[in-house]
Amino acid sequence: MKLFFRILITAILVMVISYLMIGINVDEFTTALSVAIVLALLNFFVKPILVLFTLPITIFTLGLFLLVINASIILLCDHFINGFEVSSFWNAMLFSIILSLSQSLVFKLTGEAK
């Protein structure tokens, strides 16, 4: 139930952010739900591998390279989901930052924080 709640909240946040940001397009709520599921899967399976391979540059940049990895995950999700469009790398980076901050805030307010 907790996982379903987190995915639902993420889908709602994806819809809200896409309405507020230029360069991010989501066709409908089911697309946002698909984006939330694919993002969860990519963060679970692909992100740890990317972090491991880019560990030296991540250490050298004091962790700021993780923003690039997050933006890459968003662009990879854009590649997999029809109806979810990200116009540029910088939009993906800003989208990932806003999504992460808003998820943290919502999960903290609802008591679902990790």
Side-chain angles (χ1 to χ4, degrees):
M1 189 68 179
K2 183 178 177 181
L3 178 66
F4 177 74
F5 179 71
R6 290 174 85 75
I7 289 190
L8 186 64
I9 292 295
T10 301
I12 292 169
L13 290 173
V14 165
M15 285 297 292
V16 168
I17 295 169
S18 72
Y19 282 126
L20 298 176
M21 269 188 73
I22 297 172
I24 306 291
N25 295 322
V26 177
D27 287 346
E28 53 191 22
F29 185 72
T30 56
T31 304
L33 202 55
S34 299
V35 168
I37 292 169
V38 169
L39 278 177
L41 291 172
L42 288 173
N43 281 328
F44 187 75
F45 291 112
V46 177
K47 188 175 178 179
I49 296 168
L50 289 176
V51 169
L52 184 65
F53 285 146
T54 61
L55 193 58
I57 195 166
T58 303
I59 291 171
F60 182 72
T61 61
L62 302 174
L64 288 177
F65 193 73
L66 291 173
L67 294 173
V68 173
I69 292 173
N70 286 340
S72 300
I73 295 289
I74 297 292
L75 290 173
L76 195 59
C77 185
D78 171 32
H79 178 72
F80 288 131
I81 303 291
N82 291 329
F84 176 60
E85 298 175 9
V86 180
S87 63
S88 71
F89 174 79
W90 296 108
N91 283 335
M93 185 174 288
L94 184 60
F95 178 79
S96 71
I97 291 170
I98 293 171
L99 182 63
S100 296
L101 291 175
S102 58
Q103 280 178 329
S104 296
L105 180 67
V106 169
F107 294 148
K108 184 132 183 134
L109 291 174
T110 60
E112 292 285 325
K114 290 182 181 178

